[in-house]
Amino acid sequence: MNKAELRERRFVHAVRTALNESAGQLPPDVRDRLAAARRTALAHKKAEAPSTVRSPVLAMPGVGAVSFDVEGEAQSPLQRAAAFLRRLGLLWPTIALIAGLAGIYQWQQQQRVDELAEVDTAMMLDDLPLAAYADQGFHQYLKHDQ
């Protein structure tokens, strides 16, 4: 904040303080009209809000500060490249998540295949006939025996 802005803020504060102190001495109808005028002025001020909102500034080493519009429209090729890299930075975690989920799925599938192969191997190497495995009573016997 430079000196001119500081002086202006002090002046505004002094005027506001003086107006607030003398507001109690005004007649009620004048206070009501001033309040209505203030509401109207604030409504107009809000309607005049800027349409372009800036996001925080990104400082890049060796380049300086680069700012981006909310819509992602950059003015220079360097700013366009930085905006692209920022969007690309959001893509990498998504790719890593998808690759991780695919890896977990493949690992679970392999575990299931290994379990089934182990059961098949045990059945092939066992002395019991295959019909014994289809008998529900035999399954109850195996569960009770263990």
Side-chain angles (χ1 to χ4, degrees), residues 55-100:
S55 65
V57 174
L58 171 67
M60 298 175 59
V63 177
V66 179
S67 65
F68 300 95
D69 290 340
V70 171
E71 296 86 18
E73 297 176 21
Q75 285 76 24
S76 70
L78 178 62
Q79 288 177 335
R80 280 194 293 272
F84 174 74
L85 290 175
R86 187 175 62 172
R87 279 191 226 112
L88 191 62
L90 297 174
L91 183 64
W92 288 114
T94 306
I95 291 172
L97 178 65
I98 291 170

Side-chain angles (χ1 to χ4, degrees), residues 94-115:
T94 306
I95 291 172
L97 178 65
I98 291 170
L101 290 174
I104 290 170
Y105 176 77
Q106 290 296 325
W107 178 75
Q108 286 180 341
Q109 289 295 86
Q110 187 61 41
Q111 291 296 324
R112 186 164 186 256
V113 167
D114 290 346
E115 287 173 5

Side-chain angles (χ1 to χ4, degrees), residues 121-145:
T121 303
M123 285 176 46
M124 297 282 187
L125 295 176
D126 202 7
D127 292 333
L128 291 173
L130 293 176
Y133 289 103
D135 185 17
Q136 290 297 326
F138 182 69
H139 286 289
Q140 294 299 326
Y141 171 75
L142 287 178
K143 287 182 183 176
H144 179 41
D145 191 35

